[in-house]
Amino acid sequence: MSSKPEQKETHQANGAVLPTVPMNCLPSPDRGQLVEPSDFLGPDGVGVEVVVLESRANAKGVREEDALLENGSQSNESDDTSTDRGPEPASPLKETSFSIGLQVLFPFLLAGFGTVAAGMVLDIVQHWDVFKYVTEVFILVPALLGLKGNLEMTLASRLSTAANIGQMDTPKELWKMITGNMALIQVQATVVGFLASIAAVIFGWIPDGHFSLDHAVLLCASSVATAFIASLVLGMIMIGVIIGSRKMGINPDNVATPIAASLGDLITLALLSGISWGLYKELESKAYVNPLVCAFFIALLPIWIIIAKRNAATREVLYSGWEPVIIAMAISSVGGLILDRTVSDPNFAGMAVFTPVINGVGGNLVAVQASRISTYLHMSGMPGESSETAPRKCPSPCSTFFSSDVNSRSARVLFLLVVPGHLVFLYTISSMQGGHTTLTLIFIVFYMTAALLQVLILLYIADWMVHWMWGRDLDPDNFSIPYLTALGDLIGTGLLALSFHVLWLIGDRDSDVGD
């Protein structure tokens, strides 16, 4: 028996105290650096076991495995006599179908009612002068509503993963995450809003061959101001939701992204309508107002860039996260062009109230699935690393929807929410006498077919895209959701427009399409 009691030493790593582990349990050389035993010899020549962990930063900031060790090391160390390994943290994704559905249901319905309210607003404002005479504003609608997928949902997914792996446990880490991410989305919102206005001008000019400089400046001012203010408000809401859900023991992945959209569409559309209407009224008498609004928000960009660069968790996204949000904005703008061409036709004016609903529901559900898969992968390592959860090159529909793993289970739950959710939303629209369409059986059948097909396609693409990005060393939290929600806008708007055209062609007069 050794005369000396076993020594326990602790070391600081990433702001948490970690227990020392014996040499036979050291991580592999690619995960840390070992200190030579000869450098740490006691007075009697006995080596002291010391491990120095050198964490590697990824796009989220700190290595996920280190954060998991931090969570595990917070247990009562005085009662733990084992030095082999700390307690394994419980995965937030070990959930039953019932628990997933229960956690998703309320925020899903809340988000759906938010899109219903946005649809009602769009149904009203489409008759305003600014929407009649500057029809390119319709092109801005999906692009700016898609910002909740480009920015807020990406923020929610990024912070949900950080919360689940222990990167927001201390007040210092929490504050760094908040300031860096808020500054980041302000930069992205301003740039994307500016580019969306340019896309709206181009897409509006190509079919008609008519260009108005005053209208172009109006679109720019309206888009930039709307994107900035909406992202500021929604970003603050997201941070509060994630902090609150963690304190209540709820998986943020299940609630954060739907709640990001619950008020996102309504707030963004209300801001766009009000700002564009106000600037349109000043267009004749005070033409200098629109350029000043553009210049003011663009002048704030350097401030947000400096703040975002100071945070390691957002610096990488600031440099490399532009491709998905810009491409997603372009995809959503194509959906906006379809909306502009369709709603401008008096025969299909009723489509306006349903567009935010079908797009919002599809985007919300696929964002939940993408956020869950991303967190699941982060539990096993870093992007690009092979593990037991290695990405499937091209998953089959059966493996996406009918396998036994937790991601397939959540896909089934989310898909089963489509029909009852849309029935509730359609009934709400009908009760509020929104739109210009009576809910006949044939209309409901066509609408539900479009909604189911949209979500089915999106969930399958999410399963492929998130794993594909992971295998290519890309963080899915930063890259996947913008593409998926933009595709949801395009697919949803296209299928809904097709449904309205088919209904009109087959002469469904009972549904009063276009009245």
Side-chain angles (χ1 to χ4, degrees):
M1 178 182 297
S2 175
S3 61
K4 294 184 179 181
E6 181 181 1
Q7 292 182 339
K8 281 191 177 182
E9 297 189 13
T10 58
H11 303 277
Q12 193 75 15
N14 298 329
V17 177
L18 303 181
T20 301
V21 297
M23 296 298 290
N24 59 354
C25 294
L26 290 176
S28 58
D30 63 326
R31 297 192 178 186
Q33 290 183 349
L34 306 182
V35 180
E36 293 297 331
S38 60
D39 295 336
F40 297 89
L41 295 178
D44 54 356
V46 179
V48 179
E49 295 172 346
V50 178
V51 179
V52 178
L53 295 176
E54 180 184 4
S55 62
R56 288 191 298 171
N58 61 358
K60 293 176 175 296
V62 187
R63 183 173 177 81
E64 284 78 5
E65 287 83 353
D66 294 344
L68 288 174
L69 287 174
E70 293 173 22
N71 291 341
S73 65
Q74 293 173 1
S75 60
N76 189 352
E77 293 181 4
S78 62
D79 298 333
D80 184 13
T81 58
S82 173
T83 57
D84 289 337
R85 55 167 31 172
E88 183 178 356
S91 170
L93 296 180
K94 293 179 180 179
E95 303 161 307
T96 63
S97 298
F98 178 77
S99 65
I100 295 172
L102 190 62
Q103 291 187 21
V104 172
L105 180 60
F106 175 72
F108 167 72
L109 291 176
L110 182 62
F113 286 124
T115 62
V116 169
M120 299 294 293
V121 171
L122 183 60
D123 186 52
I124 295 172
V125 301
Q126 66 174 324
H127 304 294
W128 290 6
D129 287 345
V130 64
F131 283 85
K132 286 183 178 179
Y133 301 113
V134 190
T135 59
E136 293 85 358
V137 178
F138 281 114
I139 302 177
L140 286 177
V141 171
L144 292 182
L145 296 189
L147 279 178
K148 73 178 185 300
N150 294 352
L151 304 182
E152 279 73 36
M153 285 187 176
T154 301
L155 171 67
S157 179
R158 190 162 56 237
L159 293 182
S160 295
T161 300
N164 278 327
I165 63 178
Q167 292 182 2
M168 296 173 61
D169 290 345
T170 66
K172 182 179 180 180
E173 291 174 333
L174 179 63
W175 179 248
K176 287 178 62 178
M177 279 286 181
I178 291 175
T179 55
N181 279 281
M182 288 298 294
L184 174 65
I185 65 172
Q186 295 313 308
V187 175
Q188 292 178 322
T190 304
V191 174
V192 173
F194 179 75
L195 295 177
S197 65
I198 295 177
V201 171
I202 294 174
F203 286 148
W205 168 71
I206 290 176
D208 301 331
H210 175 71
F211 175 79
S212 171
L213 181 60
D214 290 339
H215 289 179
V217 178
L218 168 66
L219 289 171
C220 179
S222 302
S223 180
V224 172
T226 299
F228 182 93
I229 299 173
S231 294
L232 179 64
V233 174
L234 294 173
M236 295 174 65
I237 293 175
M238 275 304 87
I239 292 171
V241 167
I242 291 171
I243 295 174
S245 63
R246 287 291 291 173
K247 290 183 178 180
M248 295 174 62
I250 298 174
N251 183 2
D253 284 313
N254 291 337
V255 299
T257 50
I259 292 180
S262 61
L263 296 176
D265 286 347
L266 180 60
I267 291 175
T268 303
L269 190 54
L271 285 171
L272 176 63
S273 304
I275 292 173
S276 60
W277 175 74
L279 293 177
Y280 181 77
K281 288 182 63 178
E282 302 295 335
L283 193 60
E284 294 293 335
S285 58
K286 301 177 181 178
Y288 59 86
V289 172
N290 289 324
L292 281 180
V293 172
C294 290
F296 172 75
F297 286 104
I298 293 176
L300 294 176
L301 269 177
I303 300 175
W304 309 126
I305 292 175
I306 292 173
I307 297 175
K309 286 177 66 176
R310 289 180 177 177
N311 193 321
T314 55
R315 187 184 306 119
E316 181 67 22
V317 184
L318 181 65
Y319 292 139
S320 62
W322 291 103
E323 179 183 341
V325 295
I326 293 176
I327 295 178
M329 179 273 301
I331 295 173
S332 295
S333 296
V334 176
L337 180 60
I338 297 174
L339 179 65
D340 181 28
R341 296 290 99 183
T342 306
V343 175
S344 298
D345 188 339
N347 290 321
F348 309 111
M351 178 178 163
V353 72
F354 300 104
T355 301
V357 178
I358 192 171
N359 291 349
V361 169
N364 298 344
L365 293 177
V366 75
V368 171
Q369 181 70 351
S371 181
R372 290 178 58 87
I373 298 174
S374 179
T375 297
Y376 181 73
L377 292 173
H378 275 96
M379 290 294 179
S380 65
M382 293 178 61
E385 290 184 349
S386 59
S387 64
E388 295 179 359
T389 57
R392 298 186 292 272
K393 296 298 181 182
C394 185
S396 66
C398 290
S399 63
T400 299
F401 295 99
F402 301 108
S403 67
S404 60
D405 65 71
V406 66
N407 294 323
S408 180
R409 187 183 307 130
S410 62
R412 293 193 296 269
V413 172
L414 296 173
F415 183 75
L416 291 175
L417 289 175
V418 175
V419 172
H422 273 296
L423 286 176
V424 172
F425 304 145
L426 289 178
Y427 176 77
T428 304
I429 292 174
S430 178
S431 300
M432 299 176 67
Q433 299 180 349
H436 306 264
T437 302
T438 303
L439 298 183
T440 62
L441 178 61
I442 188 171
F443 173 81
I444 293 176
V445 169
F446 271 86
Y447 181 88
M448 287 299 176
T449 302
L452 286 170
L453 187 59
Q454 176 209 31
V455 174
L456 188 71
I457 294 172
L458 289 175
L459 290 176
Y460 176 75
I461 294 176
D463 190 25
W464 165 79
M465 182 177 290
V466 172
H467 287 94
W468 178 81
M469 288 182 172
W470 184 269
R472 292 179 62 88
D473 200 19
L474 299 174
D475 191 340
D477 280 328
N478 298 327
F479 289 89
S480 64
I481 291 181
Y483 290 119
L484 292 170
T485 53
L487 287 172
D489 291 342
L490 179 59
I491 296 172
T493 305
L495 290 175
L496 187 61
L498 180 61
S499 299
F500 268 77
H501 277 81
V502 172
L503 285 171
W504 182 76
L505 289 175
I506 65 177
D508 181 27
R509 303 306 178 188
D510 292 335
S511 66
D512 297 331
V513 174
D515 284 2

